[in-house]
Amino acid sequence: MKKLTQTLAIFLVFAMLLAAVSCANNTPNNETETTTEAETKEDIFSYLPSETYDGKTLSMGIGFDYLYDSFVADKSAKDITSQAVYKRNLDVSEYFDIDLKIDTKSYDDRRGYQHLVDLALTDEHVYDLFGSTQNMFCIPLMQKCLYNWNDFEYISMNEPWWQARFNDRTEINGKLFGIAGSMDPSMIQNLGVIFFNMELLPDFGLSEEEIYNVVNEGKWTIDYLSETIKTMYRDLDRDGERSKGDIFGYAYGLNAANDSWITAFGESTTAVNEANELSISLLSEKTLMALDKVIDLTWNNPGTAGTADMYGESFMTGNIVFLPGRLLNSFDSLRKTKFAYGILPFPKYNEDQAEYHSLVLDCGSLWCVPVTLPEEDMDFVSIITDAFAKYTYLNLIPVFYDEALKNKYSEDPETAKMVDLIYESSDFEFSFIYSMELFEMPYFYRYCIESGTNDLSTRVNRNTRNVNKKLSKIYDLYFD
């Protein structure tokens, strides 16, 4: 059995190198069989109770559109990933003799998630299981509409198909209302990263091997990045103006990716204080000093794009060296590039920082169970949920990240190691799951970077009273 990190690394390397080679036919090789059907079903599910359910329906809601392809596919699907989704759904359904009903209604706004609350208030049972984004999760949670996962017997919390670091961090007083793991690939796809153009590095006397060595030696810091990009500017059109299409060392990039900085420095928006209460932790001396460094990198460094190309659109055309983004970009927009690029973690604050921290951005999924589920169905839901997550971890995610592209592209082992490091250093921001209740405080750091002004203290102090009231209310959820 391959480690998940290994399969992720292999796929992402292939995805990055996709831009450097000609397009290949997506038609799957139907003659290839990786396991027998008996091995897939019996070996994977043997640890669970062997009972079947006589066609009982499990109703699943999916709260955000871009995950539909991870759950919805039909028998006629031509591409290998859709075939894997169909087979996963079929294997789980046949083994346990269930009818898997997946609702594809969109819940990408607040009104949609309020629908879960309305169902709970009227005691109308529609969903046995629901996949939410982190940033919308608080809507049903604040209305006490969700079960505690620790009340479900068959969730294998310590197994690798669940994300232990996130689940441990969001569990308070034995209560865990949303669970993260391998139900889908969003936790991995939403990791904040720094992309870099391998082919531009030699123009500035560097190579990818040197950059990888810096990371591996623990010297990849905000100061190192700032110093490295200082000379990375070329006025390609020779008009004397800094404009899109010139060569830049760095750009602000994806808005959401810039949420990664505070986590990358080993800090967080909220923390549990000495009184065992949730409190704001944004205004430490370190967070304020670090913010100055990021703003300087983004707007004042001679090598930064600044307003000339704030969002780094010309990275796609090979004109920017370093750009913040999310791993999901390797699956979509960056597949169009015509150059080889690499992936790095966000830099550390300094070399004394023990490890890298790679933030899962706020669109990572959390899976929850509405309180309208009858108690007699709790074992049923937990068995199918755990089976679904394990099967996805073993058989579907490797297809997404490996088999769909194997034998087509070459592997870059050094980049594979970087992807391993990023996945293994994945970290989480507790306040994301309450962001809609906290007056956008989880995004204050990003807003300051975006505006180029370190007014973090003003933003926090202006909202402290209201945020503290909300934090107290949130904490009470876990002690009710």
Side-chain angles (χ1 to χ4, degrees), residues 24-37:
N25 191 334
N26 269 338
T27 304
N29 181 354
N30 292 322
E31 296 178 358
T32 301
E33 282 291 335
T34 56
T35 61
T36 67
E37 191 166 333

PDB file of all heavy atoms in Angstrom, residues 24-37:
ATOM      1  N   ALA A  24      -1.903  14.698 -23.893  1.00  0.00           N
ATOM      2  CA  ALA A  24      -2.087  13.281 -24.162  1.00  0.00           C
ATOM      3  C   ALA A  24      -3.564  12.944 -24.156  1.00  0.00           C
ATOM      4  O   ALA A  24      -4.382  13.663 -23.604  1.00  0.00           O
ATOM      5  CB  ALA A  24      -1.360  12.447 -23.110  1.00  0.00           C
ATOM      6  N   ASN A  25      -3.900  11.821 -24.757  1.00  0.00           N
ATOM      7  CA  ASN A  25      -5.285  11.367 -24.818  1.00  0.00           C
ATOM      8  C   ASN A  25      -5.758  10.972 -23.437  1.00  0.00           C
ATOM      9  O   ASN A  25      -5.092  10.247 -22.730  1.00  0.00           O
ATOM     10  CB  ASN A  25      -5.356  10.153 -25.753  1.00  0.00           C
ATOM     11  CG  ASN A  25      -6.783   9.797 -26.076  1.00  0.00           C
ATOM     12  OD1 ASN A  25      -7.677  10.093 -25.284  1.00  0.00           O
ATOM     13  ND2 ASN A  25      -6.997   9.177 -27.219  1.00  0.00           N
ATOM     14  N   ASN A  26      -6.946  11.448 -23.015  1.00  0.00           N
ATOM     15  CA  ASN A  26      -7.473  11.139 -21.700  1.00  0.00           C
ATOM     16  C   ASN A  26      -8.194   9.807 -21.643  1.00  0.00           C
ATOM     17  O   ASN A  26      -8.671   9.404 -20.594  1.00  0.00           O
ATOM     18  CB  ASN A  26      -8.445  12.235 -21.242  1.00  0.00           C
ATOM     19  CG  ASN A  26      -7.733  13.313 -20.477  1.00  0.00           C
ATOM     20  OD1 ASN A  26      -6.656  13.076 -19.943  1.00  0.00           O
ATOM     21  ND2 ASN A  26      -8.322  14.497 -20.439  1.00  0.00           N
ATOM     22  N   THR A  27      -8.297   9.112 -22.757  1.00  0.00           N
ATOM     23  CA  THR A  27      -9.028   7.856 -22.758  1.00  0.00           C
ATOM     24  C   THR A  27      -8.310   6.834 -21.901  1.00  0.00           C
ATOM     25  O   THR A  27      -7.135   6.568 -22.087  1.00  0.00           O
ATOM     26  CB  THR A  27      -9.154   7.293 -24.186  1.00  0.00           C
ATOM     27  OG1 THR A  27      -9.767   8.278 -25.004  1.00  0.00           O
ATOM     28  CG2 THR A  27      -9.964   6.019 -24.191  1.00  0.00           C
ATOM     29  N   PRO A  28      -8.970   6.240 -20.887  1.00  0.00           N
ATOM     30  CA  PRO A  28      -8.310   5.303 -19.995  1.00  0.00           C
ATOM     31  C   PRO A  28      -7.980   4.000 -20.693  1.00  0.00           C
ATOM     32  O   PRO A  28      -8.624   3.600 -21.662  1.00  0.00           O
ATOM     33  CB  PRO A  28      -9.344   5.083 -18.885  1.00  0.00           C
ATOM     34  CG  PRO A  28     -10.653   5.377 -19.532  1.00  0.00           C
ATOM     35  CD  PRO A  28     -10.397   6.446 -20.543  1.00  0.00           C
ATOM     36  N   ASN A  29      -6.984   3.319 -20.178  1.00  0.00           N
ATOM     37  CA  ASN A  29      -6.631   1.996 -20.674  1.00  0.00           C
ATOM     38  C   ASN A  29      -7.484   0.971 -19.949  1.00  0.00           C
ATOM     39  O   ASN A  29      -7.228   0.623 -18.807  1.00  0.00           O
ATOM     40  CB  ASN A  29      -5.138   1.740 -20.413  1.00  0.00           C
ATOM     41  CG  ASN A  29      -4.701   0.376 -20.932  1.00  0.00           C
ATOM     42  OD1 ASN A  29      -5.527  -0.409 -21.381  1.00  0.00           O
ATOM     43  ND2 ASN A  29      -3.410   0.114 -20.858  1.00  0.00           N
ATOM     44  N   ASN A  30      -8.502   0.505 -20.603  1.00  0.00           N
ATOM     45  CA  ASN A  30      -9.459  -0.378 -19.948  1.00  0.00           C
ATOM     46  C   ASN A  30      -8.898  -1.767 -19.672  1.00  0.00           C
ATOM     47  O   ASN A  30      -9.527  -2.576 -19.004  1.00  0.00           O
ATOM     48  CB  ASN A  30     -10.724  -0.500 -20.794  1.00  0.00           C
ATOM     49  CG  ASN A  30     -11.492   0.797 -20.845  1.00  0.00           C
ATOM     50  OD1 ASN A  30     -11.555   1.498 -19.842  1.00  0.00           O
ATOM     51  ND2 ASN A  30     -12.042   1.138 -21.997  1.00  0.00           N
ATOM     52  N   GLU A  31      -7.712  -2.051 -20.199  1.00  0.00           N
ATOM     53  CA  GLU A  31      -7.125  -3.362 -19.957  1.00  0.00           C
ATOM     54  C   GLU A  31      -6.353  -3.419 -18.647  1.00  0.00           C
ATOM     55  O   GLU A  31      -5.933  -4.471 -18.210  1.00  0.00           O
ATOM     56  CB  GLU A  31      -6.176  -3.712 -21.118  1.00  0.00           C
ATOM     57  CG  GLU A  31      -6.897  -3.843 -22.452  1.00  0.00           C
ATOM     58  CD  GLU A  31      -5.935  -4.126 -23.576  1.00  0.00           C
ATOM     59  OE1 GLU A  31      -4.711  -4.189 -23.316  1.00  0.00           O
ATOM     60  OE2 GLU A  31      -6.383  -4.298 -24.716  1.00  0.00           O
ATOM     61  N   THR A  32      -6.159  -2.242 -18.005  1.00  0.00           N
ATOM     62  CA  THR A  32      -5.371  -2.195 -16.782  1.00  0.00           C
ATOM     63  C   THR A  32      -6.252  -2.448 -15.572  1.00  0.00           C
ATOM     64  O   THR A  32      -7.249  -1.771 -15.374  1.00  0.00           O
ATOM     65  CB  THR A  32      -4.680  -0.832 -16.647  1.00  0.00           C
ATOM     66  OG1 THR A  32      -3.850  -0.643 -17.776  1.00  0.00           O
ATOM     67  CG2 THR A  32      -3.849  -0.766 -15.382  1.00  0.00           C
ATOM     68  N   GLU A  33      -5.891  -3.403 -14.739  1.00  0.00           N
ATOM     69  CA  GLU A  33      -6.584  -3.656 -13.487  1.00  0.00           C
ATOM     70  C   GLU A  33      -5.566  -3.630 -12.361  1.00  0.00           C
ATOM     71  O   GLU A  33      -4.601  -4.383 -12.368  1.00  0.00           O
ATOM     72  CB  GLU A  33      -7.271  -5.035 -13.516  1.00  0.00           C
ATOM     73  CG  GLU A  33      -8.573  -5.065 -14.297  1.00  0.00           C
ATOM     74  CD  GLU A  33      -9.675  -4.285 -13.629  1.00  0.00           C
ATOM     75  OE1 GLU A  33      -9.622  -4.114 -12.400  1.00  0.00           O
ATOM     76  OE2 GLU A  33     -10.596  -3.846 -14.327  1.00  0.00           O
ATOM     77  N   THR A  34      -5.747  -2.739 -11.387  1.00  0.00           N
ATOM     78  CA  THR A  34      -4.784  -2.642 -10.295  1.00  0.00           C
ATOM     79  C   THR A  34      -5.089  -3.637  -9.178  1.00  0.00           C
ATOM     80  O   THR A  34      -4.208  -4.104  -8.487  1.00  0.00           O
ATOM     81  CB  THR A  34      -4.796  -1.221  -9.722  1.00  0.00           C
ATOM     82  OG1 THR A  34      -6.128  -0.888  -9.314  1.00  0.00           O
ATOM     83  CG2 THR A  34      -4.321  -0.219 -10.764  1.00  0.00           C
ATOM     84  N   THR A  35      -6.360  -3.939  -8.960  1.00  0.00           N
ATOM     85  CA  THR A  35      -6.746  -4.922  -7.945  1.00  0.00           C
ATOM     86  C   THR A  35      -7.964  -5.670  -8.453  1.00  0.00           C
ATOM     87  O   THR A  35      -8.657  -5.226  -9.363  1.00  0.00           O
ATOM     88  CB  THR A  35      -7.128  -4.250  -6.606  1.00  0.00           C
ATOM     89  OG1 THR A  35      -8.238  -3.391  -6.830  1.00  0.00           O
ATOM     90  CG2 THR A  35      -5.964  -3.440  -6.045  1.00  0.00           C
ATOM     91  N   THR A  36      -8.242  -6.796  -7.864  1.00  0.00           N
ATOM     92  CA  THR A  36      -9.476  -7.493  -8.214  1.00  0.00           C
ATOM     93  C   THR A  36     -10.608  -6.899  -7.412  1.00  0.00           C
ATOM     94  O   THR A  36     -10.411  -6.255  -6.388  1.00  0.00           O
ATOM     95  CB  THR A  36      -9.366  -9.000  -7.882  1.00  0.00           C
ATOM     96  OG1 THR A  36      -9.292  -9.140  -6.463  1.00  0.00           O
ATOM     97  CG2 THR A  36      -8.133  -9.607  -8.528  1.00  0.00           C
ATOM     98  N   GLU A  37     -11.840  -7.121  -7.891  1.00  0.00           N
ATOM     99  CA  GLU A  37     -12.993  -6.580  -7.193  1.00  0.00           C
ATOM    100  C   GLU A  37     -13.097  -7.142  -5.792  1.00  0.00           C
ATOM    101  O   GLU A  37     -13.442  -6.442  -4.842  1.00  0.00           O
ATOM    102  CB  GLU A  37     -14.260  -6.878  -8.003  1.00  0.00           C
ATOM    103  CG  GLU A  37     -15.482  -6.135  -7.505  1.00  0.00           C
ATOM    104  CD  GLU A  37     -16.615  -6.177  -8.508  1.00  0.00           C
ATOM    105  OE1 GLU A  37     -16.344  -6.294  -9.711  1.00  0.00           O
ATOM    106  OE2 GLU A  37     -17.763  -6.101  -8.065  1.00  0.00           O
TER     107      GLU A  37
END
